[in-house]
């Protein structure tokens, strides 16, 4: 009797029916509870309403007995139906015990929990949004449920919740992002599908701006793009495509810098789809953000250069990588050589952005109009030198590296000459390359170094003393008969305006031929003869011009 009294206002018959193993009897009990709660609503008897919900929660939904838990779930759903629009006042008490049952070992009970929560959410509609995080968390777990009936029930609830979010203007995106960021790294394909479906829904809502939080989920999206399931890959590809469209529409508000390194990582992915997609994003970022991408140029080059030697099997990646490479190269301008690196400004964007064509305002990564942008020349040169030294890289990559070095010596000669001592040995070694095209590009770089006026001002030139003369250099040069002859070769008298690398280039080239007889025989003849002579002649002519002008 005491037990029955503790469960009042639920009648003994209702209590017995709620504990019954038969669904039909539990349903009859639920109808009685609905009628009882309606009476309390009409009387505005909130204390009794709370008491009924508490009984159904503590004594039934959270009971150790499985049939009691099922009775509690259907009873809580009945309460929500009876409360109607007032259910929002009791949602926490209604939802929490149901969500607890999502973890039940009994699949039938998990299904009934889905059914109960569906009825609660359907009645409450927008009132459930303050509890969205816990609902989403529960649904994300059920999305990967092994039981097909539970999955089916969770999908119905999921669609209902998506409808509510879509039609509402009160969605708490800030509170949702941490949960999304956590769940997006799930390896379960159903959980991934669930996450992507929600991202697609949120992207479609005009009042929800996911772009502000894209840096927090972009890495996870690229991870999902590599899923083994084709449907999930396609969904993720669509989601990324939509994000990129929005970025193009509104580049001024995009946090390019926060996503640059994420793209660098995925541009080097083994998965072709991930690599191609990341490379396309990188290409767009360079076009839209311009010089704001310069601080990440060494990482971008690391990712892009190796792709330039891809064959037709990866033609699409090769093409986009070429665009990235060319666009990045255009960002380096003569002003980079003149200004102190720590004070370069994004006002230089006008040099590489066709503003009229873009029909967009200049991009600034922060609200202030003058933001420091640094050309990380040391990092770029380190990447280029590393690739130049790597004999395993493809011919087109080697050519691209040499084109970069030539471009940097043209645009930023004074800063590049600080690196010449370290680059010079590798450039000379590259003269032994198997490719004529590589050798010719290499000669262009060497000729530019040898003839550049910048070499006269960076402390590389000979002493200013009129008495200073370099010591003779002994070279063993093959004669026409194939015999080695010894000849003392002395550098010309030094002058304040002479580029010392002119001498180093010519002397080392002769040394190179002396050491590598085969190189002289194969590369010194008709096939490359004209081109070598032309390039070397230009360097000699430039050096002679410098000597002549200094004499005057």
């Amino acid at each position: 009797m005491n037990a029955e009294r503790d469960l009042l206002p639920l009648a003994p018959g209702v209590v017995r029916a709620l504990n019954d193993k038969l669904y039909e009897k539990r349903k009859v009990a639920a109808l009685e509870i609905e009628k009882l709660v309606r009476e309390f609503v009409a009387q505005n008897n909130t204390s009794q309403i709370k008491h009924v919900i508490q009984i159904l929660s503590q004594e039934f939904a959270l009971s150790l007995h499985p049939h009691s838990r099922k009775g509690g779930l259907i009873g809580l759903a009945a309460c929500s139906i009876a409360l109607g629009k007032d259910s929002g006042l009791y949602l926490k008490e209604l939802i929490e015990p149901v969500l607890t049952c999502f973890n039940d070992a009994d699949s039938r009970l998990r299904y009934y929990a889905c059914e109960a929560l569906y009825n609660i959410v359907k009645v409450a509609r927008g009132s459930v949004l303050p509890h969205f995080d816990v609902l989403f968390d529960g649904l994300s777990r059920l999305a990967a449920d092994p039981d097909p009936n539970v999955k089916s029930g969770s999908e119905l609830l999921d669609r209902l919740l998506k409808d509510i979010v879509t039609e509402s203007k009160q969605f708490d995106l800030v509170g949702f992002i941490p949960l999304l960021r956590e769940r997006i790294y799930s390896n379960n394909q159903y959980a991934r599908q669930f996450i992507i479906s929600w991202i697609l829904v949120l992207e479609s809502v005009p009042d929800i701006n996911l772009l502000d939080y894209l840096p927090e989920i972009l890495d996870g999206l690229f991870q999902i793009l590599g899923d083994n399931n084709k449907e999930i890959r396609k969904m993720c590809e669509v989601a990324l495509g939509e994000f990129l469209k929005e970025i193009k529409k509104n580049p001024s508000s995009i946090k390019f810098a926060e996503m640059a390194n994420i793209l660098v990582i995925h541009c080097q992915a083994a998965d072709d789809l991930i690599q191609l997609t990341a490379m396309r994003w990188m290409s767009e970022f360079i076009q839209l953000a311009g010089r704001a991408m310069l601080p990440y140029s060494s990482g971008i080059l690391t990712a892009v250069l190796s792709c330039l030697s891809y064959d037709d099997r990866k033609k699409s990646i090769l093409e986009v990588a070429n665009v990235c490479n060319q666009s990045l190269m255009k960002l380096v301008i003569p002003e980079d050589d003149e200004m102190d690196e720590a004070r370069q400004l994004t006002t230089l964007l006008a040099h590489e952005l066709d503003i009229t064509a873009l029909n967009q305002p200049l991009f600034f990564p922060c609200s202030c109009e003058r933001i420091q942008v640094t050309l990380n020349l040391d990092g770029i040169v380190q990447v280029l030198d590393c690739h130049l030294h790597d004999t395993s890289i493809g011919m087109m990559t080697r050519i691209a590296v040499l084109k970069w070095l030539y471009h940097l010596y043209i645009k930023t000669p004074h800063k590049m000459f600080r690196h010449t001592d370290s680059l010079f040995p590798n450039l000379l070694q590259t003269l032994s390359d198997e490719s004529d095209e590589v050798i010719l590009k290499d000669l262009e770089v060497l000729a530019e170094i040898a003839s550049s006026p910048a070499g006269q001002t960076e402390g590389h030139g000979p002493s200013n003393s009129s008495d200073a003369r370099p010591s003779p250099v002994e070279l063993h040069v093959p004669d026409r008969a194939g015999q080695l002859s010894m000849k003392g070769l002395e550098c010309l008298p030094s002058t304040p305006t002479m580029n010392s690398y002119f001498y180093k280039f010519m002397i080392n080239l002769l040394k190179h031929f002396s050491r590598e007889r085969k190189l002289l025989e194969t590369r010194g003849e008709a096939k490359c003869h004209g081109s070598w002579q032309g390039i070397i002649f230009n360097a000699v002519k430039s050096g002679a011009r410098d000597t002549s002008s200094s004499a005057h």
Side-chain angles (χ1 to χ4, degrees):
M1 292 293 293
N2 289 336
E4 290 182 358
R5 190 179 299 114
D6 291 339
L7 298 178
L8 290 175
L10 297 185
V14 171
V15 171
R16 286 193 298 272
L18 283 177
N19 285 309
D20 202 279
K21 64 179 181 180
L22 295 177
Y23 172 78
E24 291 301 325
K25 289 189 177 181
R26 296 196 301 270
K27 186 176 180 180
V28 170
L31 292 173
E32 291 297 321
I33 291 170
E34 182 183 341
K35 187 187 301 183
L36 178 65
V37 173
R38 286 186 190 276
E39 291 174 3
F40 290 145
V41 171
Q43 298 165 7
N44 198 26
N45 193 339
T46 57
S47 62
Q48 283 289 63
I49 294 171
K50 288 180 180 179
H51 186 49
V52 170
I53 294 174
Q54 185 181 21
I55 291 171
L56 291 170
S57 173
Q58 299 298 321
E59 303 298 329
F60 289 90
L62 301 178
S63 168
L64 296 177
H65 195 281
H67 297 314
S68 297
R69 292 199 294 275
K70 294 172 186 175
L73 289 170
I74 197 170
L76 289 169
C79 285
S80 180
I81 293 168
L83 287 165
K85 59 185 177 63
D86 292 334
S87 63
L89 302 172
Y90 309 93
L91 276 178
K92 187 174 184 295
E93 293 81 3
L94 290 167
I95 289 174
E96 286 186 351
V98 178
L99 288 173
T100 300
C101 292
F102 276 15
N103 299 317
D104 202 279
D106 186 345
S107 62
R108 292 294 297 167
L109 211 142
R110 296 197 301 274
Y111 174 80
Y112 286 130
C114 283
E115 185 180 56
L117 193 56
Y118 179 90
N119 287 316
I120 293 170
V121 171
K122 187 176 182 179
V123 172
R125 301 297 296 183
S127 298
V128 303
L129 289 178
H131 308 276
F132 177 82
D133 289 0
V134 293
L135 294 174
F136 181 87
D137 181 57
L139 276 174
S140 67
R141 283 184 274 112
L142 287 189
D145 198 283
D147 187 275
N149 291 323
V150 177
K151 272 181 57 62
S152 178
S154 70
E155 286 167 3
L156 285 173
L157 176 57
D158 181 49
R159 284 198 291 270
L160 174 61
L161 198 56
K162 284 172 179 170
D163 289 342
I164 293 170
V165 169
T166 303
E167 68 190 21
S168 174
K169 295 183 179 181
Q170 301 174 346
F171 182 71
D172 180 18
L173 185 60
V174 176
F176 171 61
I177 290 298
L179 190 59
L180 179 59
R181 187 176 60 233
E182 176 192 341
R183 297 293 181 198
I184 205 168
Y185 286 105
S186 171
N187 290 323
N188 182 279
Q189 67 176 44
Y190 297 110
R192 284 179 161 184
Q193 192 169 26
F194 172 80
I195 289 292
I196 292 297
S197 70
W198 267 101
I199 289 174
L200 287 169
V201 166
L202 295 176
E203 274 188 316
S204 68
V205 180
D207 295 325
I208 296 177
N209 184 17
L210 263 182
L211 278 179
D212 286 346
Y213 304 94
L214 186 55
E216 299 187 52
I217 62 173
L218 185 62
D219 179 61
L221 283 170
F222 273 104
Q223 299 275 2
I224 294 177
L225 189 61
D227 196 274
N228 293 326
N229 184 287
K230 290 183 179 180
E231 185 180 349
I232 294 172
R233 286 166 72 94
K234 185 62 181 177
M235 287 176 67
C236 191
E237 198 174 0
V238 170
L240 285 166
E242 290 300 317
F243 274 125
L244 195 55
K245 284 180 186 177
E246 291 300 315
I247 288 171
K248 291 179 185 178
K249 289 179 184 177
N250 193 19
S252 60
S253 65
I254 304 303
K255 301 171 183 176
F256 290 102
E258 294 183 25
M259 294 183 278
N261 284 331
I262 296 172
L263 294 182
V264 166
I265 291 169
H266 292 291
C267 278
Q268 301 172 75
D271 184 284
D272 286 358
L273 180 59
I274 294 177
Q275 189 177 31
L276 176 60
T277 306
M279 199 69 75
R280 282 173 175 164
W281 276 61
M282 185 66 80
S283 177
E284 294 294 343
F285 274 32
I286 295 171
Q287 294 290 334
L288 296 170
R291 287 177 60 85
M293 297 297 286
L294 278 180
Y296 310 95
S297 49
S298 58
I300 297 171
L301 274 178
T302 299
V304 167
L305 286 173
S306 59
C307 300
L308 300 180
S309 291
Y310 282 173
D311 55 26
D312 287 344
R313 289 172 294 179
K314 294 188 176 184
K315 185 178 180 181
S316 298
I317 300 173
L318 168 63
E319 290 173 350
V320 183
N322 263 318
V323 173
C324 280
N325 186 52
Q326 295 300 320
S327 300
L328 187 65
M329 192 178 287
K330 289 176 183 177
L331 298 183
V332 181
I333 54 178
E335 284 82 351
D336 287 313
D337 203 33
E338 298 167 7
M339 295 188 300
D340 182 77
E341 290 184 358
R343 301 183 61 186
Q344 294 176 46
L345 305 172
T346 49
T347 50
L348 296 172
L349 268 169
H351 287 274
E352 78 280 347
L353 277 180
D354 184 349
I355 303 167
T356 305
L358 283 175
N359 196 25
Q360 292 286 349
L362 287 178
F363 164 72
F364 298 101
C366 300
S367 58
C368 50
E369 292 187 356
R370 294 173 68 83
I371 306 299
Q372 291 183 352
V373 173
T374 303
L375 172 65
N376 181 16
L377 191 62
D378 291 352
I380 292 175
V381 172
Q382 185 178 6
V383 170
L384 296 174
D385 195 25
C386 181
H387 278 77
L388 193 64
H389 190 265
D390 185 359
T391 56
S392 66
I393 62 173
M395 180 188 73
M396 297 309 297
T397 297
R398 297 199 298 279
I399 291 172
V401 167
L402 292 166
K403 283 182 177 179
W404 258 102
L405 290 171
Y406 184 78
H407 181 73
L408 292 172
Y409 272 109
I410 293 293
K411 297 296 182 182
T412 59
H414 294 91
K415 289 182 179 176
M416 276 301 292
F417 259 87
R418 301 172 191 170
H419 300 279
T420 303
D421 281 343
S422 62
L423 287 170
F424 208 67
N426 276 341
L427 288 168
L428 290 171
Q429 185 60 40
T430 304
L431 291 174
S432 301
D433 197 275
E434 295 179 356
S435 164
D436 293 348
E437 205 172 339
V438 171
I439 292 173
L440 293 177
K441 288 296 176 187
D442 188 37
L443 281 168
E444 285 183 21
V445 178
L446 287 166
E448 181 58 33
I449 292 172
S451 62
S452 175
Q456 301 161 7
T457 59
E458 291 294 327
H460 297 287
S463 168
N464 288 336
S465 170
S466 59
D467 296 329
R469 295 175 64 86
S471 59
V473 178
E474 296 294 331
L475 296 176
H476 298 275
V477 184
D479 60 15
R480 290 191 177 185
Q483 301 297 321
L484 288 177
S485 63
M486 183 76 72
K487 183 177 181 181
L489 205 151
E490 186 175 335
C491 291
L492 292 175
S494 61
T495 67
T497 57
M498 181 59 69
N499 182 341
S500 66
Y501 279 100
F502 168 72
Y503 299 111
K504 291 181 182 180
F505 172 41
M506 300 305 295
I507 292 170
N508 277 284
L509 182 61
L510 291 173
K511 280 184 177 181
H512 211 56
F513 280 144
S514 176
R515 285 193 305 266
E516 299 188 33
R517 173 77 175 272
K518 185 178 179 181
L519 180 67
L520 179 65
E521 293 174 351
T522 58
R523 298 301 187 186
E525 295 300 326
K527 190 171 183 181
C528 286
H529 184 66
S531 299
W532 277 60
Q533 275 193 334
I535 294 169
I536 296 172
F537 175 73
N538 286 334
V540 172
K541 187 169 67 173
S542 178
R545 183 172 61 250
D546 290 340
T547 307
S548 175
S549 63
S550 82
H552 288 299

